[in-house]
Structures are given as structure tokens and as C-alpha cells.
Amino acid sequence: LGIKVFCKLHTKKSKHRSDGDSWRQELYSGLLDKDKIPKVLAALNSDSGVGIVLPNEHILKITSFLGSNLETVARLSARVGTPLCHLHNLPLVAGSMFWGRMDALVPMYLLSKQEEFESEKGQVDGTFAHALERMFSISADSVELSVCDMDLVAYTPESEETDYLFANKG
């Protein structure tokens, strides 16, 4: 379709979270900051090396939040050429809402086959879909694109990690 840049938004209507509305509003306000969007779009439309951009407070260390998705993420990561030992260098795209460049998600798109998705039964973690949500930064990294915050500061493993109100480590 010729689409090169997109913004991934969703309702965040997780029935298991009483703070879903707060989480959604925080993600929306961070992503839809009218003062930052022009720079974000310019970076994503250029050869800047930026692949994914998300709200500043929602970039976390992926290895702190793999939980019951570790085995599937390890398998999928290997399929895009990213060894498990490299994951400590990558972030989690928390909340799964972000600005992105289509090129960043092509490897991830090629991984998913309809038959791998389990039936929806209200699961909150550990399914193929949950593991795939953890693949955003891995997919971008596999094509040498970075994950940045809305100020276009690239994630580094040395980035200070704080507690995240909307998810438990594991």
C-alpha cells in the first residue's frame, strides 16, 4: 500500500487491569504530543536509523519482562537472527503502542503464522500473541533500526530502569 510510517494505537481494554484507562491515557498523551510528532515523523521518514518510537516512560528492559514468554521469544528471536544473549541490549515496547517504520516490523511479520496463535480464552500472558508483542524491538534491531523515546533518544541497556506501574517484572 506504500505506507512507510504508522502509529499503533489500541483501546487497552484489558479486563484483568483496573488501571487500563490510566495506562491508555498515559500512552496516548505520550504518543500524540503535537509538539513532538513532527520530529518523530521526520526521523521515521528519513534514513536516521530510527525504527520505533514510544513514550519516554514506556521503554523498559525486555529481559525484566519476559516471564512465561521467554521460550517463545527465544525461538522467535533466533528465527530473525537475534541470539538470546543479545536481548539484554534491547528494550520492551511497553503497552504495545508506538510510532514505527514498516521496515522495522517486516522480520516479525514474516514470523507469524495463523496456526501459531492460540484460541482467545482470556489469557493474560504466555501465549504466542503475548510473545509476539515482545518482538517489536527485536524485529527492529534485526534490521539495524533503533528504538527511541519521543525525544528521539535511543534506548541503551544502561538506561535507568524504574518500577513500571503497569506491569510486574518476571
PDB file of all heavy atoms in Angstrom, residues 28-64:
ATOM      1  N   TYR A  28      -1.439   7.348  25.157  1.00  0.00           N
ATOM      2  CA  TYR A  28      -1.971   8.277  24.157  1.00  0.00           C
ATOM      3  C   TYR A  28      -1.330   9.657  24.292  1.00  0.00           C
ATOM      4  O   TYR A  28      -0.905  10.253  23.304  1.00  0.00           O
ATOM      5  CB  TYR A  28      -3.484   8.439  24.302  1.00  0.00           C
ATOM      6  CG  TYR A  28      -4.345   7.308  23.797  1.00  0.00           C
ATOM      7  CD1 TYR A  28      -5.728   7.386  23.913  1.00  0.00           C
ATOM      8  CD2 TYR A  28      -3.824   6.158  23.208  1.00  0.00           C
ATOM      9  CE1 TYR A  28      -6.550   6.367  23.464  1.00  0.00           C
ATOM     10  CE2 TYR A  28      -4.644   5.133  22.761  1.00  0.00           C
ATOM     11  CZ  TYR A  28      -6.008   5.247  22.891  1.00  0.00           C
ATOM     12  OH  TYR A  28      -6.823   4.250  22.447  1.00  0.00           O
ATOM     13  N   SER A  29      -1.284  10.178  25.510  1.00  0.00           N
ATOM     14  CA  SER A  29      -0.738  11.535  25.675  1.00  0.00           C
ATOM     15  C   SER A  29       0.745  11.580  25.324  1.00  0.00           C
ATOM     16  O   SER A  29       1.220  12.562  24.766  1.00  0.00           O
ATOM     17  CB  SER A  29      -0.988  12.073  27.084  1.00  0.00           C
ATOM     18  OG  SER A  29      -0.304  11.309  28.049  1.00  0.00           O
ATOM     19  N   GLY A  30       1.468  10.511  25.609  1.00  0.00           N
ATOM     20  CA  GLY A  30       2.881  10.472  25.243  1.00  0.00           C
ATOM     21  C   GLY A  30       3.096  10.358  23.745  1.00  0.00           C
ATOM     22  O   GLY A  30       3.968  11.013  23.175  1.00  0.00           O
ATOM     23  N   LEU A  31       2.286   9.559  23.081  1.00  0.00           N
ATOM     24  CA  LEU A  31       2.435   9.343  21.638  1.00  0.00           C
ATOM     25  C   LEU A  31       1.871  10.477  20.794  1.00  0.00           C
ATOM     26  O   LEU A  31       2.349  10.731  19.695  1.00  0.00           O
ATOM     27  CB  LEU A  31       1.720   8.053  21.215  1.00  0.00           C
ATOM     28  CG  LEU A  31       2.423   6.760  21.535  1.00  0.00           C
ATOM     29  CD1 LEU A  31       1.494   5.589  21.267  1.00  0.00           C
ATOM     30  CD2 LEU A  31       3.701   6.630  20.731  1.00  0.00           C
ATOM     31  N   LEU A  32       0.856  11.128  21.290  1.00  0.00           N
ATOM     32  CA  LEU A  32       0.154  12.125  20.485  1.00  0.00           C
ATOM     33  C   LEU A  32       0.488  13.555  20.900  1.00  0.00           C
ATOM     34  O   LEU A  32      -0.317  14.461  20.707  1.00  0.00           O
ATOM     35  CB  LEU A  32      -1.356  11.856  20.547  1.00  0.00           C
ATOM     36  CG  LEU A  32      -1.750  10.446  20.091  1.00  0.00           C
ATOM     37  CD1 LEU A  32      -3.241  10.201  20.286  1.00  0.00           C
ATOM     38  CD2 LEU A  32      -1.327  10.188  18.656  1.00  0.00           C
ATOM     39  N   ASP A  33       1.691  13.747  21.417  1.00  0.00           N
ATOM     40  CA  ASP A  33       2.172  15.074  21.798  1.00  0.00           C
ATOM     41  C   ASP A  33       2.414  15.886  20.518  1.00  0.00           C
ATOM     42  O   ASP A  33       3.360  15.630  19.773  1.00  0.00           O
ATOM     43  CB  ASP A  33       3.467  14.939  22.598  1.00  0.00           C
ATOM     44  CG  ASP A  33       4.024  16.250  23.094  1.00  0.00           C
ATOM     45  OD1 ASP A  33       3.799  17.299  22.441  1.00  0.00           O
ATOM     46  OD2 ASP A  33       4.716  16.234  24.128  1.00  0.00           O
ATOM     47  N   LYS A  34       1.536  16.847  20.259  1.00  0.00           N
ATOM     48  CA  LYS A  34       1.583  17.588  18.987  1.00  0.00           C
ATOM     49  C   LYS A  34       2.887  18.336  18.777  1.00  0.00           C
ATOM     50  O   LYS A  34       3.251  18.621  17.638  1.00  0.00           O
ATOM     51  CB  LYS A  34       0.386  18.530  18.867  1.00  0.00           C
ATOM     52  CG  LYS A  34       0.339  19.630  19.904  1.00  0.00           C
ATOM     53  CD  LYS A  34      -0.906  20.483  19.703  1.00  0.00           C
ATOM     54  CE  LYS A  34      -1.132  21.421  20.828  1.00  0.00           C
ATOM     55  NZ  LYS A  34      -0.472  22.641  20.841  1.00  0.00           N
ATOM     56  N   ASP A  35       3.603  18.629  19.838  1.00  0.00           N
ATOM     57  CA  ASP A  35       4.887  19.321  19.684  1.00  0.00           C
ATOM     58  C   ASP A  35       6.002  18.374  19.250  1.00  0.00           C
ATOM     59  O   ASP A  35       6.997  18.813  18.677  1.00  0.00           O
ATOM     60  CB  ASP A  35       5.282  20.005  21.000  1.00  0.00           C
ATOM     61  CG  ASP A  35       4.312  21.104  21.384  1.00  0.00           C
ATOM     62  OD1 ASP A  35       3.743  21.753  20.469  1.00  0.00           O
ATOM     63  OD2 ASP A  35       4.096  21.314  22.594  1.00  0.00           O
ATOM     64  N   LYS A  36       5.849  17.088  19.528  1.00  0.00           N
ATOM     65  CA  LYS A  36       6.903  16.125  19.211  1.00  0.00           C
ATOM     66  C   LYS A  36       6.652  15.336  17.925  1.00  0.00           C
ATOM     67  O   LYS A  36       7.592  14.836  17.316  1.00  0.00           O
ATOM     68  CB  LYS A  36       7.090  15.161  20.387  1.00  0.00           C
ATOM     69  CG  LYS A  36       7.615  15.871  21.630  1.00  0.00           C
ATOM     70  CD  LYS A  36       7.834  14.937  22.776  1.00  0.00           C
ATOM     71  CE  LYS A  36       8.365  15.714  23.976  1.00  0.00           C
ATOM     72  NZ  LYS A  36       8.675  14.843  25.090  1.00  0.00           N
ATOM     73  N   ILE A  37       5.409  15.210  17.529  1.00  0.00           N
ATOM     74  CA  ILE A  37       5.071  14.379  16.364  1.00  0.00           C
ATOM     75  C   ILE A  37       5.819  14.786  15.095  1.00  0.00           C
ATOM     76  O   ILE A  37       6.334  13.907  14.399  1.00  0.00           O
ATOM     77  CB  ILE A  37       3.541  14.339  16.137  1.00  0.00           C
ATOM     78  CG1 ILE A  37       2.886  13.543  17.269  1.00  0.00           C
ATOM     79  CG2 ILE A  37       3.198  13.729  14.787  1.00  0.00           C
ATOM     80  CD1 ILE A  37       1.366  13.553  17.234  1.00  0.00           C
ATOM     81  N   PRO A  38       5.947  16.065  14.760  1.00  0.00           N
ATOM     82  CA  PRO A  38       6.667  16.401  13.515  1.00  0.00           C
ATOM     83  C   PRO A  38       8.107  15.882  13.485  1.00  0.00           C
ATOM     84  O   PRO A  38       8.558  15.363  12.461  1.00  0.00           O
ATOM     85  CB  PRO A  38       6.623  17.931  13.480  1.00  0.00           C
ATOM     86  CG  PRO A  38       5.393  18.289  14.258  1.00  0.00           C
ATOM     87  CD  PRO A  38       5.332  17.264  15.363  1.00  0.00           C
ATOM     88  N   LYS A  39       8.814  15.972  14.603  1.00  0.00           N
ATOM     89  CA  LYS A  39      10.192  15.469  14.649  1.00  0.00           C
ATOM     90  C   LYS A  39      10.231  13.951  14.568  1.00  0.00           C
ATOM     91  O   LYS A  39      11.117  13.372  13.934  1.00  0.00           O
ATOM     92  CB  LYS A  39      10.889  15.953  15.921  1.00  0.00           C
ATOM     93  CG  LYS A  39      11.199  17.432  15.910  1.00  0.00           C
ATOM     94  CD  LYS A  39      11.874  17.866  17.193  1.00  0.00           C
ATOM     95  CE  LYS A  39      12.062  19.370  17.184  1.00  0.00           C
ATOM     96  NZ  LYS A  39      12.571  19.871  18.455  1.00  0.00           N
ATOM     97  N   VAL A  40       9.279  13.306  15.212  1.00  0.00           N
ATOM     98  CA  VAL A  40       9.200  11.849  15.172  1.00  0.00           C
ATOM     99  C   VAL A  40       8.947  11.379  13.737  1.00  0.00           C
ATOM    100  O   VAL A  40       9.625  10.484  13.233  1.00  0.00           O
ATOM    101  CB  VAL A  40       8.107  11.322  16.133  1.00  0.00           C
ATOM    102  CG1 VAL A  40       7.800   9.861  15.887  1.00  0.00           C
ATOM    103  CG2 VAL A  40       8.523  11.550  17.588  1.00  0.00           C
ATOM    104  N   LEU A  41       7.991  12.005  13.068  1.00  0.00           N
ATOM    105  CA  LEU A  41       7.691  11.634  11.686  1.00  0.00           C
ATOM    106  C   LEU A  41       8.879  11.892  10.766  1.00  0.00           C
ATOM    107  O   LEU A  41       9.168  11.078   9.888  1.00  0.00           O
ATOM    108  CB  LEU A  41       6.453  12.383  11.189  1.00  0.00           C
ATOM    109  CG  LEU A  41       5.132  11.957  11.837  1.00  0.00           C
ATOM    110  CD1 LEU A  41       3.994  12.846  11.356  1.00  0.00           C
ATOM    111  CD2 LEU A  41       4.839  10.502  11.569  1.00  0.00           C
ATOM    112  N   ALA A  42       9.562  12.999  10.982  1.00  0.00           N
ATOM    113  CA  ALA A  42      10.744  13.305  10.164  1.00  0.00           C
ATOM    114  C   ALA A  42      11.816  12.235  10.357  1.00  0.00           C
ATOM    115  O   ALA A  42      12.434  11.779   9.390  1.00  0.00           O
ATOM    116  CB  ALA A  42      11.290  14.685  10.512  1.00  0.00           C
ATOM    117  N   ALA A  43      12.030  11.811  11.595  1.00  0.00           N
ATOM    118  CA  ALA A  43      13.049  10.783  11.871  1.00  0.00           C
ATOM    119  C   ALA A  43      12.659   9.451  11.245  1.00  0.00           C
ATOM    120  O   ALA A  43      13.498   8.757  10.662  1.00  0.00           O
ATOM    121  CB  ALA A  43      13.246  10.629  13.377  1.00  0.00           C
ATOM    122  N   LEU A  44      11.400   9.077  11.360  1.00  0.00           N
ATOM    123  CA  LEU A  44      10.949   7.798  10.808  1.00  0.00           C
ATOM    124  C   LEU A  44      10.937   7.797   9.277  1.00  0.00           C
ATOM    125  O   LEU A  44      11.111   6.755   8.658  1.00  0.00           O
ATOM    126  CB  LEU A  44       9.558   7.444  11.337  1.00  0.00           C
ATOM    127  CG  LEU A  44       9.503   7.058  12.819  1.00  0.00           C
ATOM    128  CD1 LEU A  44       8.061   7.009  13.306  1.00  0.00           C
ATOM    129  CD2 LEU A  44      10.202   5.732  13.068  1.00  0.00           C
ATOM    130  N   ASN A  45      10.740   8.948   8.679  1.00  0.00           N
ATOM    131  CA  ASN A  45      10.706   9.056   7.217  1.00  0.00           C
ATOM    132  C   ASN A  45      12.083   9.274   6.603  1.00  0.00           C
ATOM    133  O   ASN A  45      12.216   9.315   5.387  1.00  0.00           O
ATOM    134  CB  ASN A  45       9.772  10.190   6.789  1.00  0.00           C
ATOM    135  CG  ASN A  45       8.332   9.753   6.756  1.00  0.00           C
ATOM    136  OD1 ASN A  45       7.990   8.784   6.092  1.00  0.00           O
ATOM    137  ND2 ASN A  45       7.483  10.458   7.493  1.00  0.00           N
ATOM    138  N   SER A  46      13.094   9.410   7.440  1.00  0.00           N
ATOM    139  CA  SER A  46      14.447   9.652   6.938  1.00  0.00           C
ATOM    140  C   SER A  46      15.290   8.389   7.063  1.00  0.00           C
ATOM    141  O   SER A  46      14.800   7.343   7.461  1.00  0.00           O
ATOM    142  CB  SER A  46      15.097  10.781   7.741  1.00  0.00           C
ATOM    143  OG  SER A  46      15.416  10.327   9.049  1.00  0.00           O
ATOM    144  N   ASP A  47      16.545   8.522   6.761  1.00  0.00           N
ATOM    145  CA  ASP A  47      17.480   7.410   6.933  1.00  0.00           C
ATOM    146  C   ASP A  47      18.198   7.528   8.276  1.00  0.00           C
ATOM    147  O   ASP A  47      19.369   7.202   8.402  1.00  0.00           O
ATOM    148  CB  ASP A  47      18.507   7.405   5.789  1.00  0.00           C
ATOM    149  CG  ASP A  47      17.871   7.019   4.472  1.00  0.00           C
ATOM    150  OD1 ASP A  47      16.904   6.242   4.497  1.00  0.00           O
ATOM    151  OD2 ASP A  47      18.340   7.490   3.431  1.00  0.00           O
ATOM    152  N   SER A  48      17.494   7.964   9.295  1.00  0.00           N
ATOM    153  CA  SER A  48      18.078   8.216  10.611  1.00  0.00           C
ATOM    154  C   SER A  48      18.432   6.950  11.384  1.00  0.00           C
ATOM    155  O   SER A  48      19.153   7.019  12.364  1.00  0.00           O
ATOM    156  CB  SER A  48      17.097   9.038  11.451  1.00  0.00           C
ATOM    157  OG  SER A  48      15.942   8.261  11.720  1.00  0.00           O
ATOM    158  N   GLY A  49      17.906   5.814  10.982  1.00  0.00           N
ATOM    159  CA  GLY A  49      18.134   4.574  11.723  1.00  0.00           C
ATOM    160  C   GLY A  49      17.115   4.343  12.811  1.00  0.00           C
ATOM    161  O   GLY A  49      17.190   3.368  13.550  1.00  0.00           O
ATOM    162  N   VAL A  50      16.131   5.225  12.926  1.00  0.00           N
ATOM    163  CA  VAL A  50      15.072   5.066  13.920  1.00  0.00           C
ATOM    164  C   VAL A  50      13.995   4.152  13.344  1.00  0.00           C
ATOM    165  O   VAL A  50      13.516   4.358  12.230  1.00  0.00           O
ATOM    166  CB  VAL A  50      14.455   6.435  14.301  1.00  0.00           C
ATOM    167  CG1 VAL A  50      13.289   6.255  15.263  1.00  0.00           C
ATOM    168  CG2 VAL A  50      15.507   7.340  14.911  1.00  0.00           C
ATOM    169  N   GLY A  51      13.609   3.131  14.115  1.00  0.00           N
ATOM    170  CA  GLY A  51      12.599   2.189  13.656  1.00  0.00           C
ATOM    171  C   GLY A  51      11.313   2.244  14.440  1.00  0.00           C
ATOM    172  O   GLY A  51      10.233   2.068  13.895  1.00  0.00           O
ATOM    173  N   ILE A  52      11.428   2.483  15.759  1.00  0.00           N
ATOM    174  CA  ILE A  52      10.267   2.519  16.648  1.00  0.00           C
ATOM    175  C   ILE A  52      10.458   3.664  17.628  1.00  0.00           C
ATOM    176  O   ILE A  52      11.549   3.880  18.148  1.00  0.00           O
ATOM    177  CB  ILE A  52      10.115   1.187  17.412  1.00  0.00           C
ATOM    178  CG1 ILE A  52       9.762   0.061  16.430  1.00  0.00           C
ATOM    179  CG2 ILE A  52       9.072   1.287  18.519  1.00  0.00           C
ATOM    180  CD1 ILE A  52       9.696  -1.316  17.055  1.00  0.00           C
ATOM    181  N   VAL A  53       9.360   4.388  17.893  1.00  0.00           N
ATOM    182  CA  VAL A  53       9.382   5.498  18.851  1.00  0.00           C
ATOM    183  C   VAL A  53       8.197   5.323  19.790  1.00  0.00           C
ATOM    184  O   VAL A  53       7.071   5.101  19.340  1.00  0.00           O
ATOM    185  CB  VAL A  53       9.286   6.865  18.130  1.00  0.00           C
ATOM    186  CG1 VAL A  53       9.303   7.998  19.137  1.00  0.00           C
ATOM    187  CG2 VAL A  53      10.411   7.022  17.110  1.00  0.00           C
ATOM    188  N   LEU A  54       8.458   5.415  21.087  1.00  0.00           N
ATOM    189  CA  LEU A  54       7.387   5.276  22.057  1.00  0.00           C
ATOM    190  C   LEU A  54       7.548   6.263  23.196  1.00  0.00           C
ATOM    191  O   LEU A  54       8.611   6.877  23.335  1.00  0.00           O
ATOM    192  CB  LEU A  54       7.299   3.847  22.574  1.00  0.00           C
ATOM    193  CG  LEU A  54       8.476   3.263  23.320  1.00  0.00           C
ATOM    194  CD1 LEU A  54       7.984   2.232  24.314  1.00  0.00           C
ATOM    195  CD2 LEU A  54       9.399   2.582  22.327  1.00  0.00           C
ATOM    196  N   PRO A  55       6.499   6.432  24.002  1.00  0.00           N
ATOM    197  CA  PRO A  55       6.568   7.392  25.100  1.00  0.00           C
ATOM    198  C   PRO A  55       7.739   7.109  26.036  1.00  0.00           C
ATOM    199  O   PRO A  55       8.056   5.958  26.332  1.00  0.00           O
ATOM    200  CB  PRO A  55       5.237   7.217  25.824  1.00  0.00           C
ATOM    201  CG  PRO A  55       4.311   6.689  24.784  1.00  0.00           C
ATOM    202  CD  PRO A  55       5.174   5.804  23.916  1.00  0.00           C
ATOM    203  N   ASN A  56       8.344   8.176  26.490  1.00  0.00           N
ATOM    204  CA  ASN A  56       9.569   8.103  27.290  1.00  0.00           C
ATOM    205  C   ASN A  56       9.491   7.135  28.467  1.00  0.00           C
ATOM    206  O   ASN A  56      10.440   6.410  28.729  1.00  0.00           O
ATOM    207  CB  ASN A  56       9.940   9.495  27.797  1.00  0.00           C
ATOM    208  CG  ASN A  56      10.155  10.478  26.668  1.00  0.00           C
ATOM    209  OD1 ASN A  56       9.593  10.327  25.574  1.00  0.00           O
ATOM    210  ND2 ASN A  56      10.954  11.493  26.898  1.00  0.00           N
ATOM    211  N   GLU A  57       8.384   7.108  29.169  1.00  0.00           N
ATOM    212  CA  GLU A  57       8.268   6.288  30.380  1.00  0.00           C
ATOM    213  C   GLU A  57       7.916   4.830  30.086  1.00  0.00           C
ATOM    214  O   GLU A  57       7.736   4.038  31.003  1.00  0.00           O
ATOM    215  CB  GLU A  57       7.189   6.855  31.308  1.00  0.00           C
ATOM    216  CG  GLU A  57       7.418   8.287  31.726  1.00  0.00           C
ATOM    217  CD  GLU A  57       6.992   9.292  30.642  1.00  0.00           C
ATOM    218  OE1 GLU A  57       6.138   8.962  29.795  1.00  0.00           O
ATOM    219  OE2 GLU A  57       7.543  10.394  30.642  1.00  0.00           O
ATOM    220  N   HIS A  58       7.814   4.475  28.815  1.00  0.00           N
ATOM    221  CA  HIS A  58       7.347   3.137  28.466  1.00  0.00           C
ATOM    222  C   HIS A  58       8.388   2.311  27.711  1.00  0.00           C
ATOM    223  O   HIS A  58       8.044   1.360  27.022  1.00  0.00           O
ATOM    224  CB  HIS A  58       6.043   3.236  27.675  1.00  0.00           C
ATOM    225  CG  HIS A  58       4.957   3.908  28.468  1.00  0.00           C
ATOM    226  ND1 HIS A  58       4.150   3.229  29.354  1.00  0.00           N
ATOM    227  CD2 HIS A  58       4.600   5.209  28.550  1.00  0.00           C
ATOM    228  CE1 HIS A  58       3.327   4.077  29.927  1.00  0.00           C
ATOM    229  NE2 HIS A  58       3.578   5.285  29.456  1.00  0.00           N
ATOM    230  N   ILE A  59       9.645   2.662  27.865  1.00  0.00           N
ATOM    231  CA  ILE A  59      10.739   1.860  27.307  1.00  0.00           C
ATOM    232  C   ILE A  59      11.417   1.184  28.488  1.00  0.00           C
ATOM    233  O   ILE A  59      11.990   1.847  29.349  1.00  0.00           O
ATOM    234  CB  ILE A  59      11.770   2.731  26.544  1.00  0.00           C
ATOM    235  CG1 ILE A  59      11.102   3.483  25.412  1.00  0.00           C
ATOM    236  CG2 ILE A  59      12.901   1.861  26.015  1.00  0.00           C
ATOM    237  CD1 ILE A  59      12.046   4.418  24.657  1.00  0.00           C
ATOM    238  N   LEU A  60      11.331  -0.129  28.521  1.00  0.00           N
ATOM    239  CA  LEU A  60      11.845  -0.904  29.650  1.00  0.00           C
ATOM    240  C   LEU A  60      12.808  -1.973  29.152  1.00  0.00           C
ATOM    241  O   LEU A  60      12.816  -2.301  27.975  1.00  0.00           O
ATOM    242  CB  LEU A  60      10.672  -1.582  30.370  1.00  0.00           C
ATOM    243  CG  LEU A  60       9.524  -0.663  30.779  1.00  0.00           C
ATOM    244  CD1 LEU A  60       8.335  -1.494  31.226  1.00  0.00           C
ATOM    245  CD2 LEU A  60       9.963   0.296  31.863  1.00  0.00           C
ATOM    246  N   LYS A  61      13.573  -2.534  30.059  1.00  0.00           N
ATOM    247  CA  LYS A  61      14.471  -3.638  29.683  1.00  0.00           C
ATOM    248  C   LYS A  61      13.628  -4.877  29.402  1.00  0.00           C
ATOM    249  O   LYS A  61      12.895  -5.350  30.262  1.00  0.00           O
ATOM    250  CB  LYS A  61      15.458  -3.926  30.812  1.00  0.00           C
ATOM    251  CG  LYS A  61      16.444  -2.809  31.011  1.00  0.00           C
ATOM    252  CD  LYS A  61      17.434  -3.122  32.107  1.00  0.00           C
ATOM    253  CE  LYS A  61      18.319  -1.898  32.276  1.00  0.00           C
ATOM    254  NZ  LYS A  61      19.560  -2.164  32.900  1.00  0.00           N
ATOM    255  N   ILE A  62      13.766  -5.386  28.210  1.00  0.00           N
ATOM    256  CA  ILE A  62      12.935  -6.529  27.811  1.00  0.00           C
ATOM    257  C   ILE A  62      13.183  -7.746  28.690  1.00  0.00           C
ATOM    258  O   ILE A  62      12.251  -8.477  29.023  1.00  0.00           O
ATOM    259  CB  ILE A  62      13.121  -6.864  26.310  1.00  0.00           C
ATOM    260  CG1 ILE A  62      11.995  -7.797  25.841  1.00  0.00           C
ATOM    261  CG2 ILE A  62      14.485  -7.470  26.043  1.00  0.00           C
ATOM    262  CD1 ILE A  62      11.947  -7.987  24.349  1.00  0.00           C
ATOM    263  N   THR A  63      14.419  -7.943  29.116  1.00  0.00           N
ATOM    264  CA  THR A  63      14.739  -9.135  29.910  1.00  0.00           C
ATOM    265  C   THR A  63      14.068  -9.114  31.281  1.00  0.00           C
ATOM    266  O   THR A  63      13.956 -10.152  31.921  1.00  0.00           O
ATOM    267  CB  THR A  63      16.263  -9.307  30.060  1.00  0.00           C
ATOM    268  OG1 THR A  63      16.822  -8.089  30.548  1.00  0.00           O
ATOM    269  CG2 THR A  63      16.898  -9.674  28.718  1.00  0.00           C
ATOM    270  N   SER A  64      13.606  -7.953  31.728  1.00  0.00           N
ATOM    271  CA  SER A  64      12.902  -7.868  33.008  1.00  0.00           C
ATOM    272  C   SER A  64      11.434  -8.245  32.897  1.00  0.00           C
ATOM    273  O   SER A  64      10.757  -8.381  33.903  1.00  0.00           O
ATOM    274  CB  SER A  64      13.006  -6.439  33.577  1.00  0.00           C
ATOM    275  OG  SER A  64      14.343  -6.110  33.854  1.00  0.00           O
TER     276      SER A  64
END
